[in-house]
Amino acid sequence: MSITQFKNTATLQLDESNPVAVPLGEPVAIASTTSVERDDGVETGVWACTPGRWRRQITAQEFCHFISGRCTFTPDGGGETLHIQGGDALMLPANTLGVWDIQETVRKTYVLIF
């Protein structure tokens, strides 16, 4: 097994940029990522997103550490809105769906466990 290292995550040039899959109004957020997916069902990477609102569609368990930016996440089912900023970390259980509202471009490192 090889070791994955992402250097200078705060300024790392990200490989792919696309509009989010399920935007909720304007502006449509643009998500960018650089990632590695292993054969054992684990994906890790660096992700950034510009301001906008959109639905989280990932059903995998996710750990993420926010490097910069400001946003909220409101889980479906009436859960409490989380206020997130650079320096915060989250562990999202599998099947956590809800709405992201990015107020200031965010950048995070993440691990998805499928």
Side-chain angles (χ1 to χ4, degrees):
M1 180 182 327
S2 64
I3 296 172
T4 301
Q5 181 180 24
F6 297 103
K7 294 181 77 90
N8 302 314
T9 57
T11 59
L12 178 68
Q13 182 69 33
L14 303 179
D15 293 337
E16 299 179 28
S17 294
N18 293 294
V20 293
V22 186
L24 300 172
E26 296 288 330
V28 174
I30 304 296
S32 303
T33 190
T34 292
S35 64
V36 173
E37 188 171 342
R38 298 186 330 200
D39 293 337
D40 63 357
V42 173
E43 177 184 323
T44 187
V46 180
W47 179 90
C49 188
T50 62
R53 291 182 73 238
W54 50 279
R55 289 203 52 77
R56 181 177 198 263
Q57 300 295 299
I58 297 171
T59 58
Q61 182 175 215
E62 178 181 6
F63 173 80
C64 50
H65 176 261
F66 287 79
I67 299 164
S68 61
R70 190 171 46 85
C71 64
T72 61
F73 179 72
T74 304
D76 288 349
E80 183 178 332
T81 297
L82 302 171
H83 296 268
I84 304 157
Q85 63 185 14
D88 293 348
L90 297 177
M91 182 67 189
L92 298 164
N95 301 308
T96 300
L97 302 178
V99 175
W100 284 106
D101 186 353
I102 311 297
Q103 291 95 37
E104 177 185 305
T105 297
V106 295
R107 181 176 280 249
K108 68 180 184 180
T109 57
Y110 70 90
V111 177
L112 296 175
I113 304 165
F114 295 96

